[in-house]
Amino acid sequence: SFCTLLDIMVNAALERPKDRALSSDWANNTNAILNDAKATKTISTKLRGQATAARRAIEKQTKQQQASVDDALRKKVADTTCLKNKIEKRITAIQTEAEKLCAARDRGMAMVLALVKPIHKTENRLLLREKRPTREKIFDKVERALGVELEELRKAHAQLEGLVK
């Protein structure tokens, strides 16, 4: 248990010997005990002060480190939020572009299908000309124009199919 200086002084006074011959030894011993008690109290006070100062320094350092961690986390959250917003904008732009491409593909398919009728008509016209009797078969401007028209329609059809697929 911890004894205070007062406790030591009281105990020393109570233990005073009855014998006067030992009184100088008793006084010297008492003074030595009192001096030791004072030195111990001084050391104890200094140690308590150092412990308190160390605890305060540790608390201060902990608070500083926590503040630093909090700031770093806030910055990371802000960076992540900014990146998320950029990604969402990019996704929206890609979706818009994909929708435009799908619409263009659909228009292309409609154009391909629209070319099928003229190709069939031109092929049928040429077929009719080929079925004519031999004496009526002549290779004139109309037949050449039909051949060119058929060739151009087929090229356009092939190009459109290549673009659409």
Side-chain angles (χ1 to χ4, degrees):
S1 68
F2 180 74
C3 294
T4 64
L5 185 57
L6 182 62
D7 292 336
I8 293 171
M9 290 172 70
V10 169
N11 287 338
L14 292 176
E15 294 175 13
R16 180 175 281 169
K18 309 270 187 224
D19 188 351
R20 291 275 182 193
L22 298 174
S23 70
S24 69
D25 287 337
W26 176 81
N28 288 338
N29 287 338
T30 302
N31 285 336
I33 291 171
L34 288 175
N35 288 336
D36 285 345
K38 287 178 185 176
T40 303
K41 181 180 179 186
T42 303
I43 291 171
S44 174
T45 304
K46 284 182 184 178
L47 286 174
R48 254 191 242 121
Q50 289 174 355
T52 303
R55 188 181 71 244
R56 286 183 185 146
I58 289 170
E59 287 173 356
K60 182 179 177 182
Q61 185 178 11
T62 302
K63 285 179 183 178
Q64 288 173 343
Q65 288 174 344
Q66 186 62 43
S68 173
V69 167
D70 288 347
D71 289 342
L73 287 175
R74 278 189 206 97
K75 187 174 188 246
K76 289 288 184 187
V77 167
D79 291 346
T80 303
T81 303
C82 181
L83 185 60
K84 177 186 162 230
N85 291 338
K86 286 180 182 179
I87 289 171
E88 286 174 347
K89 285 180 184 177
R90 187 68 181 134
I91 288 171
T92 302
I94 289 170
Q95 287 173 338
T96 303
E97 188 65 26
E99 289 170 0
K100 287 179 183 178
L101 288 172
C102 287
R105 183 197 64 211
D106 293 344
R107 285 192 305 273
M109 289 297 288
M111 291 170 71
V112 167
L113 293 175
L115 281 177
V116 171
K117 277 187 181 179
I119 290 173
H120 285 301
K121 279 185 183 179
T122 306
E123 287 174 343
N124 285 337
R125 286 179 189 152
L126 282 172
L127 210 76
L128 284 174
R129 283 184 155 265
E130 287 177 10
K131 289 182 181 178
R132 288 188 298 184
T134 312
R135 62 178 187 268
E136 292 180 14
K137 283 187 180 179
I138 54 169
F139 193 70
D140 59 355
K141 289 182 186 179
V142 174
E143 198 166 338
R144 275 186 288 234
L146 283 172
V148 170
E149 181 182 350
L150 182 61
E151 186 179 322
E152 290 298 318
L153 286 171
R154 285 184 179 160
K155 282 181 187 176
H157 187 264
Q159 284 178 341
L160 285 174
E161 277 187 329
L163 290 175
V164 172
K165 291 180 181 180

